[in-house]
Amino acid sequence: MELQGQVAIVTGGAKGIGEAIVRELADAGAHVLINYHTSNLQAEALASQVNGTAIRADVSTTPGCETLLLAASELGGPHILVNNAGITRDGLMVRMSDGAWESVVRTNAGSAFRMSRAVLPIMMKQRSGVIVNISSVSALRGNAGQANYAASKAALIAMTKTLAQEVGKRQIRVNAVAPGFIRTDMTAKLTEKVLDAATEQIPLRRLGEPKDIAPMVRFLCGPSASYITGQTFAIDGGLSV
């Protein structure tokens, strides 16, 4: 229960990697605000299971982020922010529309920027806090058909390093986790042929599960990681090696 008494925000927390992170942080004692945009039934069910709070908000917008901040403030936080919200709109760059580019970058990178900006004044005042950005192995090695997604996730790594330098003196730690191919709704859209080809590239020869990611996030949020900031941790079965 190393996070007992702390208030954590997990964006995109209703399913997939986000759900696994919510369960892990709740298991560590945190009260978790489960942000969702469309998955209301999953978010409400999860909140009841972990004694958390489900909050509907579009974190790609400033008002949406302010809604989450207000809810966290009423509970005495926020102490932890996990920027997990993300979408894909895949396609080769030569045929990628402005909308496909802008929506992915706005959601994946823009939401992390806006949520971090929202929580920082409180964290700076309390001289403590943790931000974990969920990036992707695509940011480290690229992935054909995902120029928008890879760019947005690479932006999170650059943002992580920069923000760690800016707020470290206030004892706020900022790190990133870069998952590989994980079984989620996103990978469920891929064909078996694509998944088999991806698996062949992974040294451990299997796709990951959301539960493979969540323990690292819990570690980074806890006191055992008190001297770690500005880092990116790839959890990808060796894909980025």
Side-chain angles (χ1 to χ4, degrees):
M1 303 293 283
E2 69 271 20
L3 301 179
Q4 185 71 43
Q6 299 198 38
V7 177
I9 298 172
V10 180
T11 67
K15 53 187 178 180
I17 293 174
E19 178 186 352
I21 291 171
V22 166
R23 292 185 183 280
E24 196 73 36
L25 298 186
D27 184 66
H31 184 102
V32 186
L33 273 64
I34 306 161
N35 161 246
Y36 69 95
H37 190 200
T38 58
S39 307
N40 60 313
L41 294 179
Q42 290 132 307
E44 294 291 350
L46 179 59
S48 66
Q49 292 169 22
V50 302
N51 196 29
T53 304
I55 303 289
R56 182 174 187 175
D58 180 358
V59 290
S60 70
T61 69
T62 296
C65 294
E66 290 173 346
T67 295
L68 269 177
L69 178 64
L70 178 60
S73 299
E74 291 174 347
L75 293 168
H79 305 98
I80 295 166
L81 167 64
V82 180
N83 287 310
N84 171 72
I87 63 171
T88 58
R89 289 186 63 182
D90 295 350
L92 295 177
M93 184 183 288
V94 69
R95 293 194 292 269
M96 186 173 289
S97 67
D98 288 353
W101 172 271
E102 290 163 2
S103 62
V104 170
V105 172
R106 182 176 65 249
T107 298
N108 299 1
S111 65
F113 160 70
R114 290 181 175 85
M115 271 309 314
S116 298
R117 183 180 63 182
V119 304
L120 279 172
I122 292 176
M123 289 184 175
M124 293 172 72
K125 184 176 181 180
Q126 65 194 17
R127 300 190 71 84
S128 66
V130 176
I131 297 174
V132 179
N133 295 318
I134 306 302
S135 180
S136 169
V137 68
S138 295
L140 304 176
R141 66 193 299 271
N143 194 31
Q146 287 195 319
N148 49 3
Y149 184 78
S152 69
K153 293 299 189 176
L156 289 182
I157 293 176
M159 194 186 310
T160 295
K161 294 174 185 257
T162 300
L163 189 54
Q165 294 180 33
E166 291 182 357
V167 299
K169 61 187 175 184
R170 297 297 184 98
Q171 301 306 304
I172 300 168
R173 297 185 292 105
V174 189
N175 291 291
V177 173
F181 282 97
I182 308 298
R183 292 190 186 278
T184 64
D185 287 352
M186 285 187 182
T187 55
K189 299 175 184 177
L190 302 176
T191 66
E192 283 300 318
K193 183 177 180 180
V194 171
L195 291 176
D196 288 344
T199 303
E200 283 300 309
Q201 299 178 56
I202 302 171
L204 290 184
R205 292 297 190 273
R206 69 173 179 88
L207 300 186
E209 303 290 341
K211 65 182 181 181
D212 293 321
I213 309 301
M216 174 59 82
V217 177
R218 174 176 178 168
F219 167 72
L220 291 173
C221 292
S224 296
S226 63
Y227 202 55
I228 300 174
T229 195
Q231 305 304 307
T232 299
F233 297 88
I235 305 178
D236 58 7
L239 182 60
S240 58
V241 172

